[in-house]
Amino acid sequence: MKIQPVRGTHDLFGEELNKTKIIENIIRKIANNFDFNEIITPIFESSDLFIKPLGEHSDVVLKEMYTFNDRNNSSLTLRPEYTTPIIRAAISNRLLEKLPTKLFAIGSMFRRERPQKGRFRQFNQMNFEILGSDDALADSELILIAKKILDDLLLDKEFKLYINSLGDRDTLKAYKKGLTNFFNKYKKDLSIDSQSKIDQNPLRILDSKENADIKICKDAPLISKLYSYEASKQFDEVKNLLSSSGIEFIQDNFLVRGLDYYCKTVFEFKNSDLGSQDTLIGGGRYNGLVKAIGGPDIPGVGWAGGIERITLLKESKKNENLNCHLILIDEKVKNYGIETLKKLTEKGLSVYFDYKYNLKKSLAYANKKEAKFAIIIGEDELKGKSYTLKDLNNSNQQKFNFNALILKLSKWIILMNN
Ligand code: HAM
């Protein structure tokens, strides 16, 4: 029986795992610079946490959630996103007493979407959330963090920031109505998929990738015509603050995002090398969501970024670790070998323990793995309580006792542990 991985999932190892770890380290370092606290929540939650807040008619709730009944018949869902679990955890653990609360999280999400490049059914996200501030500075701080993370991770790769405002909650309701009326006029020209969204979810038609829809959307009404004075002022302030922090952006009047909880500022960072799954980071304001989940009536804003999409763009970094191969060339030195392995690793060296008992094969393998040194032990070394150190760059080799060996490698040991 050969069991295949579940469609849309992938195993992480080797180069991709190395990149993922580097990405996570940078995220944690930057989160620390901005004094955000990390939180880790369970992978599954009560299904109710997601259904209403994400929108009963959203694609995620309608088609993509992994929902199951456990043995008590309670409905559970593998988290499809992290904002609602973070808020649930902040409420459950009383993290909302001194506001604003600034939290970040890294973890796996689950959505049953059609797999393609940059789109998986289990994928990893980083999330940054500020709970309890309606100040435009919170929106701007979060965008600044997102840009800093992308700058540090993607170096000279290009990405663009798109922003929009969805106005207040009432604005969005009125806008949906206006869109429904507008799209009904062109119903027969829209794609079948968009036709089915006219009444329940007309916002989604705006980000349809079908040519017929794109043509009609060009003349769709603009949400900006419906902004309240307050919402309009706040959007201007966000744009002004972004300019002050030297962040370039493109105002995209049709950027509406895919989840129902957004209002006011929404934004996305995109990269054109990724094909159709081009959004690296997306987020926005969600005033009203904390209350809807059973917490106090406080505002919130945040974003999430897909780690696999960043991995796809990130250049590989050569592994600079000192990789040292400890090679046994005779079965008689097994005890001396394992004792040496213990002593070397205690000194902080990274050691690949090689017990093929064939010097030629072992050296070829060490060279293939780009190891810097080989420490070779055979009967002679055992007799003399010594070690032969071979520099694999120039093939020079010399015998040492243990202390002299460590002294010789000390420069590398210090480098490795810093
Ligand atoms: P989202 O736009 O659904 O927002 O997802 C955020 C990011 O997660 C996307 O921009 C993308 O990079 C990545 N992503 C989403 N789906 C997949 C997938 N199937 N495979 C690979 N990567 C994917 C949210 O999740 C909101 N919770 C963001 C937020 C936080 N808003 C406020 N706070």
Side-chain angles (χ1 to χ4, degrees):
M1 182 169 62
K2 190 174 171 206
I3 300 179
Q4 301 292 341
V6 176
R7 193 162 129 77
T9 66
H10 61 289
D11 304 305
L12 270 182
F13 57 93
E15 194 51 49
E16 197 187 350
L17 182 58
N18 277 343
K19 279 201 234 172
T20 306
K21 282 188 187 162
I22 294 170
I23 293 171
E24 289 188 1
N25 285 344
I26 291 188
I27 296 166
R28 289 202 167 85
K29 187 177 139 266
I30 294 174
N32 192 38
N33 287 149
F34 286 84
D35 203 6
F36 276 61
N37 289 316
E38 184 160 4
I39 187 161
I40 300 175
T41 72
I43 279 174
F44 57 89
E45 299 270 357
S46 288
S47 303
D48 289 341
L49 178 63
F50 304 111
I51 297 171
K52 270 216 175 125
L54 307 192
E56 281 161 290
H57 301 287
S58 65
D59 282 350
V60 174
V61 172
L62 278 180
K63 305 185 230 167
E64 296 168 6
M65 292 203 313
Y66 283 95
T67 297
F68 57 96
N69 282 352
D70 78 355
R71 286 166 193 268
N72 292 344
N73 262 346
S74 14
S75 177
L76 303 175
T77 295
L78 299 184
R79 62 183 178 210
E81 64 105 48
Y82 225 152
T83 310
T84 40
I86 290 172
I87 295 174
R88 199 270 311 132
I91 299 168
S92 310
N93 299 291
R94 297 172 195 233
L95 304 179
L96 299 174
E97 281 164 4
K98 287 190 204 106
L99 298 173
T101 299
K102 301 186 184 185
L103 296 170
F104 83 101
I106 301 174
S108 291
M109 307 299 135
F110 305 83
R111 295 186 193 174
R112 200 178 189 290
E113 297 188 83
R114 193 168 49 79
Q116 63 183 94
K117 181 180 168 200
R119 189 160 75 187
F120 304 93
R121 290 183 173 174
Q122 176 175 346
F123 58 98
N124 293 296
Q125 272 190 349
M126 54 176 156
N127 259 257
F128 281 73
E129 313 288 349
I130 298 182
L131 305 174
S133 172
D134 197 29
D135 198 313
L137 274 175
D139 311 35
S140 314
E141 180 183 14
L142 282 163
I143 292 174
L144 186 67
I145 296 173
K147 179 167 181 318
K148 170 83 181 132
I149 290 179
L150 292 181
D151 276 339
D152 281 19
L153 287 175
L154 300 178
L155 303 173
D156 46 3
K157 287 265 161 32
E158 253 217 22
F159 52 84
K160 290 199 172 96
L161 167 63
Y162 296 83
I163 64 169
N164 192 18
S165 170
L166 301 182
D168 303 308
R169 299 232 130 237
D170 295 344
T171 314
L172 199 57
K173 256 190 230 152
Y175 185 53
K176 278 187 188 170
K177 238 189 210 158
L179 278 180
T180 300
N181 291 339
F182 170 80
F183 287 127
N184 264 323
K185 282 195 246 163
Y186 300 95
K187 187 166 180 175
K188 63 175 182 4
D189 300 321
L190 286 169
S191 67
I192 303 288
D193 191 38
S194 290
Q195 286 181 16
S196 69
K197 290 178 176 157
I198 295 181
D199 292 318
Q200 303 289 13
N201 204 0
L203 289 176
R204 294 272 56 79
I205 303 177
L206 294 177
D207 47 30
S208 160
K209 304 225 155 68
E210 297 288 331
N211 282 337
D213 299 339
I214 294 172
K215 218 164 127 199
I216 293 169
C217 286
K218 282 201 179 111
D219 299 318
L222 294 178
I223 194 169
S224 51
K225 298 264 189 309
L226 303 173
Y227 290 163
S228 65
Y229 171 73
E230 268 305 308
S232 175
K233 201 173 121 204
Q234 181 156 359
F235 190 33
D236 287 342
E237 208 183 350
V238 172
K239 289 186 276 184
N240 187 284
L241 289 167
L242 291 180
S243 301
S244 296
S245 36
I247 296 180
E248 286 176 19
F249 58 86
I250 298 161
Q251 190 170 330
D252 176 354
N253 294 313
F254 291 138
L255 175 66
V256 286
R257 308 274 303 131
L259 306 165
D260 263 18
Y261 51 58
Y262 292 110
C263 61
K264 296 190 175 173
T265 321
V266 286
F267 54 90
E268 284 183 350
F269 284 87
K270 295 186 182 219
N271 167 283
S272 53
D273 297 337
L274 281 168
S276 68
Q277 301 309 307
D278 58 353
T279 309
L280 291 166
I281 283 180
R285 224 169 229 294
Y286 44 79
N287 298 354
L289 181 60
V290 181
K291 186 162 179 245
I293 297 176
D297 189 5
I298 55 167
V301 56
W303 58 256
I307 292 182
E308 284 78 2
R309 293 191 190 174
I310 294 174
T311 315
L312 279 171
L313 290 177
K314 192 170 165 43
E315 306 286 346
S316 305
K317 197 174 158 234
K318 222 170 154 350
N319 188 358
E320 294 296 347
N321 272 357
L322 166 63
N323 190 359
C324 165
H325 280 221
L326 173 60
I327 297 175
L328 311 191
I329 54 174
D330 195 310
E331 295 205 26
K332 291 190 194 113
V333 300
K334 280 188 184 193
N335 295 66
Y336 188 42
I338 196 139
E339 184 196 313
T340 308
L341 175 72
K342 180 166 181 276
K343 278 161 70 179
L344 289 175
T345 51
E346 275 169 3
K347 290 287 178 193
L349 267 172
S350 162
V351 184
Y352 178 83
F353 194 25
D354 183 321
Y355 29 85
K356 287 193 260 302
Y357 312 112
N358 179 324
L359 185 60
K360 210 170 150 205
K361 276 193 188 158
S362 295
L363 284 178
Y365 186 64
N367 277 316
K368 202 166 143 209
K369 284 192 41 187
E370 296 181 23
K372 291 203 165 57
F373 296 97
I375 295 170
I376 303 163
I377 47 188
E379 268 192 292
D380 275 0
E381 283 80 6
L382 173 64
K383 268 185 218 139
K385 284 280 163 210
S386 64
Y387 310 85
T388 297
L389 179 67
K390 188 177 183 81
D391 184 332
L392 295 173
N393 280 331
N394 52 23
S395 292
N396 288 343
Q397 66 176 58
Q398 209 181 335
K399 262 199 191 126
F400 293 99
N401 67 25
F402 190 73
N403 286 344
L405 179 76
I406 293 302
L407 201 66
K408 181 83 185 162
L409 297 176
S410 58
K411 185 181 94 188
W412 292 101
I413 297 174
I414 292 168
L415 262 181
M416 265 193 61
N417 289 297
N418 279 309

